[in-house]
Amino acid sequence: MSVTGTSSAATSSSSRLLQPGRNCWRIEHAERFSMLVDADVYFRAVREAIRAARHSIFILSWDIDSRVRLVPEGANDGFPEPLGDFLHAVVQSRPGLRAYVLNWDFAMLYALEREWLPAYKLGWRTHHRLAFHMDGHHPVGGSHHQKVVVIDDKLAFVGGLDLTRARWDTSEHACDSPLRCDSDGKPHDPFHDVQAMVDGDVARALGELARQRWQRATGMVPVTATIERARDPWPAQIVPDLTDIDVAIARTEPAFDGQVGVFEIRQLHLDAIARARNHLFFENQYFTSDLICNALSARLTQEQAPEVMIVSPHNQSGWLEQATMGVLRARVHHRLKEADALGRYRMYCPTLPGLKENSCLNVHSKVFTMDDDLITIGSANLSNRSMAFDTECNLVIEACGREDTRSRIRAAISHMRNRLLAEHLATEPDEVTAAIGRTGSLHATVDALRRPGRSMAAFDPVTTPELEALVPPQAVFDPERPIDPDELVEQFVPEDARRPVPRRMIGLGTLAVVLALFAVAWRWTPLSEWINLASLVSLARSLEALPFTPVAVICSYAIAGLVMVPVTLLIGVTGIVFGPVAGALYAIGGTLLSAMVTYGLGRWLGRDTVHQLVGPRINRLSRRIARRGIIAMVVVRMLPIAPFTVVNVIAGASHIRFRDYMLGTLLGMTPGIIITVTFVHHLAEAIRNPSPGTIAVLALVAALLIGSAFGLQRLFSRKDNVEAR
């Protein structure tokens, strides 16, 4: 739907909800505005826009993956398909073009889910005019969460989508789509999100925002684009939803490094909730904000309460987020149900028959409408973090001006909201519009259009009494204010650890030399032949005859850990040679010593060095419990998320308390070690001396091993395809 006309400032600023300096940063003019629903449309549009860039490309992201293919079936536009190679080729082909990619610099313990070595793939090995930097300019515990792309200061994208893995999908959300898979070919579940595309002065203002963020994060001043008026980068296949329109930019920026906090998005939501007459529509990944809950509760108790519709995923991504953010959401939902005396509030999830779990679509979008008078699309969740703690950016359109202008904007806002409802209800926007016209109600419209199959289901998020008792208030998992660094250091870092770490380049150079020497030794010496099961068993048997066998075996674990020998292989060898009792004791002692040594290596190298080497693969499993050291390490040890040595080095670089680290390692590794050495010992016995007794014992241990693995999988490995927020 395209709505055209002439914008006007005829109404006074006091009658407008949007007020710069209060609930938005700036209000600028745009020639065109379009809502892009789901990543297939957005990825195609952003690839076409990047390909058309001539002067500057800015990408601000929470996550980025150089391997992602924006057009899974192939763009066939003469450039490489993977994002990193595509950016490199585009920049290389345009002498005057510069690209700046800014990605959140996450806590190191989270580094196991994202792409490895992004600084190398998007910075070191790409064209010198393609600059990649990790954004760590935020308070401790905060994140850079904006998802902004700006092309030549003429075209910009803002919303909830990052250019990363597990995001691509079409609006059909077909459960068996062969194109919906990660870079490694692994399929992921259907995924719903929304991005806005805008041009004109709004795009130029977003270019200023991107440059400010780049300069704060890097200390470097990026170039200013030369605007070519005659050239139009707007993707030809995208029909704008609105033309000749004023668009506001609203932000969240926490107070940090002498800069005052900016809480425009929070104020925007509060002002809109207070002004709403008919309905408030939210499509959002999270719903945990106390402030938003209080504002909605106050409206729901009023006699003329507006309808409140929340569209959210049935479950938060993964068991851990379900046990934290899911519990917080259930609490907020319960409070709103108690306040809702008139039955005006409901929470929905879009259902997709054919999915294995809950049959509900993963909703990751951040869209909010007030009546037909306001719409905002951006990166901000309905969480305390997004309202006050993380960096966020939203675009906002308000229906105001002359009556004809206001009418066309209201029609466009209504149409965009109804497009989202129509997608979830498997119908057409016009049918939704007609139903709302008949019923005057969003809830009644859903009831009227609900059919078997793909639809929307009202649901009540619940939690167990055990989780309710365990999960603390919002301040822990969804904080409203930055964490004081001195307080955090005092609480979590030992006194003797509060000293400057070696300079990053010294650590990086030293480790690079060590790795290079190891690679040479692997290639030109018998080292690669030594590190195998047979040779390790032979070596272990030679240690068995020594008078100081326990010390020798345990120390060998530390040495093997430094050269990345898999710890599972060492444990297996120990069980074969030394039996289930002595083998288990040796393996536990060796594992703890190896963990201690490689933890010290990570502490010595420092966070920056390890970050450059490991790169941003955040582990959602650790993300929510990183500050609960013992539990974090137990979970990490029980799950095969990364090589043993890598986890240890990352933990050292993250300054997890040594006591918590070692105790968590002991608790997490011991059960697996005991089961493994027992199994391999009896396996070896059954092979050497086959008998009904040895085979029966082996079968019993195998059943125990399989049962334990199955139990852990059921407990910890609920499929979670998205990260985060």
Side-chain angles (χ1 to χ4, degrees), residues 224-438:
T224 300
T226 301
I227 304 297
E228 296 181 14
R229 297 291 179 185
R231 193 178 56 81
D232 183 8
W234 186 276
Q237 73 274 18
I238 303 298
V239 177
D241 291 291
L242 274 163
T243 61
D244 192 14
I245 181 71
D246 288 338
V247 180
I249 302 169
R251 306 163 300 167
T252 298
E253 292 180 359
F256 181 65
D257 198 21
Q259 298 168 349
V260 297
V262 176
F263 312 112
E264 297 155 356
I265 294 175
R266 180 175 69 189
Q267 192 61 51
L268 172 70
H269 280 75
L270 295 178
D271 291 345
I273 291 170
R275 182 175 290 197
R277 301 180 309 276
N278 301 316
H279 43 72
L280 293 161
F281 169 83
F282 301 88
E283 187 177 272
N284 208 282
Q285 177 188 11
Y286 293 129
F287 186 28
T288 59
S289 170
D290 265 339
L291 201 65
I292 301 300
C293 176
N294 292 338
L296 291 173
S297 295
R299 290 303 316 271
L300 288 170
T301 60
Q302 297 175 0
E303 185 176 347
Q304 299 299 323
E307 284 190 329
V308 179
M309 173 181 284
I310 309 286
V311 181
S312 187
H314 189 279
N315 285 340
Q316 308 295 175
S317 298
W319 72 269
L320 183 60
E321 287 200 359
Q322 181 64 18
T324 54
M325 301 298 278
V327 171
L328 299 182
R329 181 180 67 171
R331 291 173 183 168
V332 167
H333 175 76
H334 179 69
R335 287 165 55 191
L336 291 180
K337 293 286 284 187
E338 288 185 331
D340 183 28
L342 302 176
R344 306 288 284 171
Y345 163 76
R346 288 189 206 170
M347 181 176 287
Y348 297 86
C349 67
T351 58
L352 283 177
L355 290 182
K356 295 180 180 178
E357 187 175 349
N358 296 316
S359 297
C360 276
L361 177 64
N362 186 352
V363 175
H364 191 264
S365 46
K366 301 93 170 59
V367 180
F368 168 44
T369 69
M370 179 202 76
D371 300 329
D372 294 339
D373 294 321
L374 181 137
I375 185 170
T376 176
I377 300 171
S379 63
N381 289 304
L382 296 176
S383 65
N384 293 327
R385 300 185 63 94
S386 286
M387 298 297 157
F389 194 27
D390 296 338
T391 58
E392 307 284 3
C393 182
N394 282 25
L395 297 183
V396 194
I397 293 175
E398 180 184 8
C400 57
R402 294 197 311 258
E403 183 58 33
D404 59 337
T405 301
R406 187 168 179 268
S407 295
R408 73 178 179 88
I409 298 174
R410 293 186 81 248
I413 292 173
S414 171
H415 182 77
M416 287 186 277
R417 181 199 60 233
N418 295 348
R419 275 179 61 195
L420 298 175
L421 288 171
E423 175 179 325
H424 301 322
L425 291 166
T427 186
E428 296 299 324
D430 289 344
E431 189 172 357
V432 174
T433 301
I436 293 175
R438 291 192 304 270

